[in-house]
Amino acid sequence: MVKRTRGRPKGFIPDEALDRAVEMFWEHGYEGVDVERIAQAVNVTKPALYRAFGDKSTLLLKAVERYAITYGAPILAAFQAEPDIHKAVTAFCEATVNLSSGEARGGCMMVAAALGQSERVTEIRSYLAQGLTAAADVFAKRFEKEMKAGRLTRTPSAKVRARALVDLMKGLQLRAKAGIAREQLLEDARSYVPLILGKQI
């Protein structure tokens, strides 16, 4: 008699399963998602999903990490791709709004996870804090460069501008989750750019 193996099902692609988990956690929250539903969505058994990723709280943590790569990184890349600082901040704000104001999934999946009640919420909050700090560092370095080149005033400081931009991002995401229309958010986001940059030289 041939003994069955307990490996992953044929055709099981972990990244695809994580993408589906991101979508479901983002839309329904940690408490609103049954792992069985995620398993069915990617055509695997619930035990197979657990073997691949661990328990539900660990799956959420891995989904948060996947979200940061899939959705968070492109927003930062939009900022870094623009050589003009005004266009860079505008591109970042617009990318934030466009990501956060989807029909089914609004706001920020990472923040929702950090406010949830999973067993690994402390790790998720730490991961979020590190990500926000890293983003602020990227902004601050760019603002400092612009200030040294004489394209931005010395006040407010590069760090203050950077933290304000991070706070603006989260504010836009929260308003998107509350259902504010994308057009309104885009209009507001663009109007905030001069507040972040101050008087340009």
Side-chain angles (χ1 to χ4, degrees):
M1 182 177 177
V2 178
K3 190 175 181 180
R4 282 187 171 182
T5 62
R6 293 183 42 168
R8 293 172 181 168
K10 188 176 180 180
F12 176 73
I13 303 175
D15 281 351
E16 289 185 1
L18 277 179
D19 287 339
R20 188 61 179 140
V22 166
E23 293 171 358
M24 297 182 76
F25 282 131
W26 192 357
E27 184 174 353
H28 303 290
Y30 179 74
E31 292 79 7
V33 173
D34 186 336
V35 175
E36 180 67 38
R37 289 175 59 194
I38 300 176
Q40 291 175 355
V42 294
N43 200 29
V44 299
T45 64
K46 186 175 178 179
L49 202 63
Y50 278 139
R51 286 196 296 272
F53 299 111
D55 60 15
K56 182 180 177 181
S57 62
T58 304
L59 176 59
L60 175 64
L61 177 59
K62 292 182 181 297
V64 164
E65 294 170 349
R66 179 71 174 174
Y67 171 91
I69 294 171
T70 306
Y71 296 97
I75 295 178
L76 198 58
F79 173 84
Q80 294 173 308
E82 286 288 352
D84 178 84
I85 190 59
H86 187 277
K87 291 181 180 179
V89 174
T90 301
F92 173 80
C93 291
E94 291 177 344
T96 296
V97 170
N98 289 329
L99 169 66
S100 306
S101 54
E103 292 183 6
R105 300 177 298 277
C108 175
M109 182 263 191
M110 290 178 67
V111 171
L115 296 175
Q117 300 299 318
S118 80
E119 290 81 357
R120 306 195 70 165
V121 69
T122 300
E123 294 169 78
I124 290 171
R125 289 172 181 170
S126 177
Y127 185 83
L128 173 60
Q130 290 172 14
L132 295 177
T133 299
D137 287 344
V138 170
F139 298 145
K141 288 178 181 177
R142 176 67 182 276
F143 290 143
E144 186 64 36
K145 178 182 177 181
E146 297 293 327
M147 291 160 70
K148 286 182 178 178
R151 289 186 287 268
L152 290 177
T153 59
R154 297 302 302 180
T155 55
S157 70
K159 286 186 177 180
V160 168
R161 284 182 167 117
R163 290 170 185 166
L165 187 52
V166 169
D167 291 346
L168 171 59
M169 171 181 66
K170 290 305 165 191
L172 289 169
Q173 290 172 332
L174 177 60
R175 293 179 67 209
K177 185 65 174 178
I180 305 300
R182 177 180 301 189
E183 293 74 18
Q184 181 65 60
L185 291 173
L186 284 172
E187 181 181 342
D188 291 344
R190 292 163 183 152
S191 71
Y192 299 151
V193 173
L195 300 179
I196 297 293
L197 295 179
K199 183 179 178 181
Q200 290 182 265
I201 301 173

